[in-house]
Amino acid sequence: MGMIIQTKNVVKSFPVPEGEFIALKDISIDVPKNKLTILRGRSGSGKTTLMNILGGLDYPKSGEVLFKKQNIASLSEHMRERIRKEKIGFIFQSVALIPMMNAYENVEFALRLAGWKGNKKERTMKCLEMVGLGRRVKHMPHELSGGEQQRVAIARAIAHSPEVIFADEPTAELDTNTGIQVVRIFRNLVENEGVTIVMTTHDTGLMEAAECIYELEDGRIVEKFEK
Ligand SMILES: Nc1ncnc2c1ncn2[C@@H]1O[C@H](COP(=O)(O)OP(=O)(O)O)[C@@H](O)[C@H]1O
Ligand SMILES: [Mg+2]
């Protein structure tokens, strides 16, 4: 199986008044390409910290992060910036849509930021259709349900055609059924668009959607399940 991201002995610490808090302890994981991987664990177990490191938003204190076999630390800042901008998309728990823009404009704006060269209108519509919102494009965020807003956020994250999408507790603020819908959209992106997705959750009901699950406890990987 091809791996798109790998970590080797990653340690991450944060300065705290008592000195140093070690949030990740010796994490070595493989993220398989074109699969859905879930990082699960209780609140405070280190999921967000690990996801930020996998996505290049933060750096480890020691250990290596490889993106397509390349050590991220060895790349120039320019190259890292390019990987983040072109190859990675993020979805967060609390949807941060721009309130004055409708669904269409929110997605199109992301394409502008990413410097999308192709037809923006076509791509925006395609992404909104992929998440089942082709008929809601003119709705403002406050006119959409929480689940619909999260779907706009997904359309926005996939708009520039990233290879990897990171979703940090994307279902935490949704009811069970809406959460299942979001995960279904993720499955569709993995199976039909060739995307790799890493999501964090502590919802045990969603686990069967993933090919690969890592369980975190107190900053350590305690289990790995694979299909
Ligand atoms: N910037 C920070 N400064 C100090 N401690 C932090 C910081 N970020 C996270 N932590 C601590 O690291 C641990 C893991 O946090 P986090 O990765 O957010 O966990 P999770 O996403 O699993 O809830 C927690 O104990 C948290 O308090
Ligand atoms: Mg978190």
Side-chain angles (χ1 to χ4, degrees):
M1 206 188 319
M3 298 300 158
I4 191 156
I5 304 174
Q6 293 163 293
T7 68
K8 295 196 195 306
N9 310 107
V10 158
V11 174
K12 174 73 186 175
S13 64
F14 294 108
V16 286
E18 307 80 60
E20 194 184 38
F21 175 78
I22 311 212
L24 296 178
K25 302 160 185 159
D26 199 26
I27 303 256
S28 299
I29 65 168
D30 298 319
V31 176
K33 190 170 160 55
N34 194 204
K35 307 270 185 229
L36 174 59
T37 294
I38 286 183
L39 307 176
R40 67 180 275 194
R42 277 191 211 119
S43 176
S45 57
K47 302 182 297 297
T48 298
T49 305
L50 177 55
M51 176 114 96
N52 288 345
I53 285 178
L54 292 173
L57 294 182
D58 204 353
Y59 299 104
K61 170 185 165 157
S62 61
E64 288 180 1
V65 182
L66 309 182
F67 185 86
K68 295 183 167 179
K69 312 263 185 237
Q70 264 191 318
N71 187 348
I72 294 188
S74 72
L75 301 175
S76 66
E77 184 51 38
H78 173 72
M79 274 308 293
R80 283 198 291 254
E81 178 70 34
R82 260 186 70 178
I83 291 177
R84 273 199 302 265
K85 201 169 144 191
E86 294 173 11
K87 310 229 182 278
I88 291 175
F90 280 94
I91 298 164
F92 300 99
Q93 171 179 352
S94 24
V95 186
L97 299 178
I98 300 170
M100 310 82 75
M101 289 186 181
N102 66 29
Y104 177 91
E105 291 161 344
N106 263 283
V107 177
E108 204 224 24
F109 184 60
L111 284 177
R112 283 178 199 279
L113 289 182
W116 181 261
K117 301 271 187 323
N119 183 324
K120 289 193 194 62
K121 182 166 184 208
E122 219 169 81
R123 179 68 189 163
T124 300
M125 287 308 297
K126 172 150 199 258
C127 292
L128 285 163
E129 275 155 21
M130 272 192 267
V131 300
L133 286 179
R135 289 160 180 277
R136 295 263 198 289
V137 301
K138 294 219 168 116
H139 284 55
M140 302 301 282
H142 74 268
E143 297 170 325
L144 297 167
S145 70
E148 287 169 338
Q149 288 182 38
Q150 191 56 291
R151 277 145 68 189
V152 177
I154 296 170
R156 184 177 60 177
I158 60 176
H160 63 299
S161 200
E163 292 179 41
V164 191
I165 291 176
F166 292 97
D168 197 4
E169 310 225 11
T171 63
E173 290 178 8
L174 306 176
D175 63 66
T176 308
N177 280 331
T178 316
I180 290 171
Q181 265 181 32
V182 163
V183 172
R184 239 182 240 142
I185 292 169
F186 285 170
R187 286 293 339 153
N188 182 35
L189 292 170
V190 167
E191 282 158 32
N192 302 321
E193 305 292 322
V195 179
T196 299
I197 299 183
V198 181
M199 71 177 262
T200 66
T201 182
H202 46 244
D203 186 341
T204 46
L206 300 176
M207 298 304 153
E208 64 190 52
E211 281 97 353
C212 181
I213 301 168
Y214 286 100
E215 176 148 359
L216 278 136
E217 220 174 271
D218 290 332
R220 280 183 208 286
I221 300 290
V222 292
E223 264 199 277
K224 176 183 185 181
F225 307 89
E226 241 175 331
K227 260 188 218 157

